[in-house]
């Protein structure tokens, strides 16, 4: 990765968008990159809107406030409606196609359809939807090394063996989706 890349992860509270953003930020820090992670919550945490911005850069981050991000991962329809239009031309938009049955309609960005909820259920828990999306994002963008992301997941979940195994399975399934040619528009 050269330069600076930004991602907004957005969904409703309880979908794990903050955790996904934190894991990505930790992976960037572990690789010695400059990182900013900014959370934003709606009126209530669980069920309300939630999003975070992660900036990963080879140089000092000038501002963590990004109005036109390079990429976005949207977990629900309101997040697609809000953040799909602001991804910069040439950027990437990852859409949770399990819950969102439309695309942004834009032709100037790459859209990746990730059936994150469906894959999470196959992995063993709907609570790992965020890990599926994050794995697909990292596998496609290579914003950090996939191995670094896996290391951060183990570091964060290591004491919870059962959760760790489900999360590792979700991580691998999200990666596999991209390697096998995720639905791209």
């Amino acid at each position: 990765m050269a330069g600076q890349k930004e991602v907004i992860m957005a969904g409703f509270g309880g979908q794990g968008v903050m955790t996904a953003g934190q894991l990505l930020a930790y992976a960037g820090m572990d690789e010695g990159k400059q990182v900013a992670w900014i959370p934003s919550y709606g009126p209530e945490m669980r069920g309300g809107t939630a999003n975070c911005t992660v900036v990963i850069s080879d140089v000092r981050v000038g501002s963590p406030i990004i109005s036109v991000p390079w990429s976005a991962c949207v977990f629900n329809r309101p997040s697609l409606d809000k953040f799909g239009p602001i991804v910069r031309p040439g950027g990437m938009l990852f859409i949770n196609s399990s819950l969102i049955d439309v695309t942004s309609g834009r032709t100037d960005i790459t859209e990746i359809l990730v059936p994150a909820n469906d894959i999470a259920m196959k992995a063993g828990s709907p609570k790992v939807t965020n890990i599926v999306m994050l794995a697909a994002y990292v596998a496609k963008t290579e914003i950090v090394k996939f191995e670094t992301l896996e290391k951060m997941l183990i570091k964060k979940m290591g004491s919870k063996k059962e959760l760790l195994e489900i999360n590792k399975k979700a991580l691998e399934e999200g990666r596999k989706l991209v390697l096998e040619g995720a639905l791209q528009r």
Side-chain angles (χ1 to χ4, degrees):
M1 179 199 89
Q4 176 174 298
K5 302 289 185 191
E6 315 88 16
V7 60
I8 292 177
M9 298 208 171
F12 51 79
Q15 283 186 303
V17 296
M18 299 301 175
T19 299
Q22 283 179 328
L23 284 169
L24 182 59
Y26 292 153
M29 287 189 306
D30 192 68
E31 291 184 1
K33 296 180 167 122
Q34 301 293 310
V35 176
W37 174 79
I38 306 291
S40 175
Y41 300 95
E44 65 242 21
M45 286 182 57
R46 188 166 286 284
T49 58
N51 68 79
C52 66
T53 301
V54 180
V55 181
I56 298 181
S57 180
D58 293 331
V59 297
R60 178 178 277 171
V61 175
S63 172
I65 308 301
I66 305 296
S67 56
V68 184
W70 172 68
S71 59
C73 295
V74 294
F75 289 71
N76 62 5
R77 179 68 188 265
S79 297
L80 171 64
D81 294 343
K82 182 174 183 178
F83 296 107
I86 67 169
V87 172
R88 87 172 58 117
M92 301 181 92
L93 179 61
F94 291 73
I95 298 172
N96 179 2
S97 59
S98 296
L99 297 182
I100 306 169
D101 60 358
V102 298
T103 62
S104 71
R106 292 181 58 185
T107 58
D108 61 341
I109 61 174
T110 300
E111 294 184 344
I112 308 295
L113 305 181
V114 180
N117 287 71
D118 300 338
I119 293 171
M121 290 302 291
K122 287 181 196 167
S125 172
K127 293 181 179 180
V128 296
T129 299
N130 60 335
I131 302 302
V132 172
M133 183 70 87
L134 179 60
Y137 179 78
V138 169
K140 183 70 176 174
T141 65
E142 298 178 347
I143 193 166
V144 294
K145 293 181 184 112
F146 199 85
E147 296 72 29
T148 307
L149 178 62
E150 189 172 28
K151 182 169 108 177
M152 292 301 106
L153 180 73
I154 292 167
K155 200 172 191 178
K156 186 163 174 81
M157 307 268 176
S159 63
K160 304 168 188 163
K161 295 291 183 212
E162 187 177 309
L163 279 178
L164 177 61
E165 290 311 309
I166 292 171
N167 276 278
K168 283 171 75 174
K169 188 172 183 183
L171 197 67
E172 196 47 49
E173 290 299 317
R175 178 187 201 183
K176 194 165 84 173
L177 178 74
V178 170
L179 294 177
E180 293 175 354
L183 302 173
Q184 183 173 321
R185 292 179 195 236

